[in-house]
Amino acid sequence: GAGVSQSPSNKVTEKGKDVELRCDPISGHTALYWYRQSLGQGLEFLIYFQGNSAPDKSGLPSDRFSAERTGGSVSTLTIQRTQQEDSAVYLCASSLGWGRVGYDEQYFGPGTRLTVT
Amino acid sequence: GQQLNQSPQSMFIQEGEDVSMNCTSSSIFNTWLWYKQDPGEGPVLLIALYKAGELTSNGRLTAQFGITRKDSFLNISASIPSDVGIYFCAGQRGNQFYFGTGTSLTVIP
């Protein structure tokens, strides 16, 4: 079956430009997460969507970062006025959502590698 | 954001050897998770641990949720070449997940 997909797989942009990264979660998954992975580092939580609830934005590093999730499905992560330190792999994950008994397993997409020159 | 202390950072082992890696945190977690990430891919869940003291196996993998809820370890027995990759621990608290910095494993045939 289809897993989580992300596009583009690679993005090179100039410093100061805006970028949009897209995530298509697994159909039926109500929860969606964005993470940032810098070279040689673990995953840094950015933002979490659960159904129609207000997103948990506590991980966004600055106000240049924003994300939306339209219709409870596709999500877009936008970075405005990109800086070189934004260069990283941006990973999206989805899960069935809270309310389940036990752990709610996240399924990760392959990521978008962003390079800011 | 908070990151977990994961060690070792990298390992180079001979095929057939056993591997052990661990993760510690200053905070307690409700769930500990272990993932493997191959190049160009997202992490894939290997083992999830739900209770303090729990010891869980998945094939050649064994993981434990520390009694204090602040640590976990992962063992891989009889390593094979396809075990190569980066292994991450993660702790879950509420709807947030905190990841370790990863252990890069190289298996020499």
Side-chain angles (χ1 to χ4, degrees):
Chain A
V4 177
S5 61
Q6 293 186 244
S7 60
S9 56
N10 282 283
K11 176 71 175 178
V12 180
T13 190
E14 292 180 354
K15 177 182 173 181
K17 295 283 181 69
D18 298 351
V19 294
E20 284 189 354
L21 312 179
R22 176 186 168 107
C23 172
D24 283 84
I26 293 173
S27 177
H29 281 192
T30 65
L32 188 147
Y33 303 77
W34 282 98
Y35 294 89
R36 178 169 69 177
Q37 184 176 29
S38 301
L39 187 63
Q41 296 295 313
L43 280 67
E44 176 189 3
F45 167 79
L46 297 177
I47 189 168
Y48 162 71
F49 295 89
Q50 171 57 64
N52 295 320
S53 303
D56 178 352
K57 304 180 182 179
S58 59
L60 294 179
S62 77
D63 58 8
R64 296 187 295 104
F65 288 72
S66 62
E68 63 177 20
R69 188 177 184 193
T70 54
S73 180
V74 172
S75 177
T76 303
L77 177 68
T78 302
I79 309 174
Q80 296 178 309
R81 306 181 302 282
T82 52
Q83 303 294 313
Q84 289 186 328
E85 61 262 29
D86 298 335
S87 296
V89 174
Y90 289 82
L91 289 161
C92 173
S94 71
S95 67
L96 283 168
W98 295 106
R100 288 171 47 80
V101 175
Y103 170 64
D104 185 36
E105 182 175 349
Q106 295 180 65
Y107 294 83
F108 284 84
T112 293
R113 180 173 297 278
L114 175 66
T115 303
V116 182
T117 61
Chain B
Q2 178 180 3
Q3 285 201 333
L4 309 182
N5 299 313
Q6 186 173 347
S7 64
Q9 185 175 10
S10 62
M11 301 182 73
F12 293 81
I13 62 169
Q14 295 284 342
E15 182 177 358
E17 289 184 354
D18 296 345
V19 172
S20 184
M21 59 192 78
N22 68 81
C23 226
T24 61
S25 169
S26 57
S27 306
I28 63 173
F29 289 109
N30 300 324
T31 303
W32 278 93
L33 308 152
W34 285 92
Y35 291 85
K36 179 177 183 247
Q37 185 176 28
D38 292 326
E41 302 290 331
V44 174
L45 182 68
L46 299 174
I47 290 182
L49 302 155
Y50 306 111
K51 294 191 305 185
E54 179 181 357
L55 184 71
T56 297
S57 293
N58 178 9
R60 294 179 296 106
L61 307 178
T62 301
Q64 184 158 31
F65 191 144
I67 288 291
T68 65
R69 297 169 64 190
K70 293 183 180 180
D71 64 302
S72 177
F73 72 74
L74 174 71
N75 287 343
I76 305 173
S77 63
S79 58
I80 60 178
S82 62
D83 291 335
V84 165
I86 301 178
Y87 292 78
F88 291 99
C89 62
Q92 174 250 323
R93 188 185 307 121
N95 58 270
Q96 293 224 5
F97 295 82
Y98 302 89
F99 283 78
T101 49
T103 295
S104 175
L105 178 63
T106 301
V107 179
I108 303 167

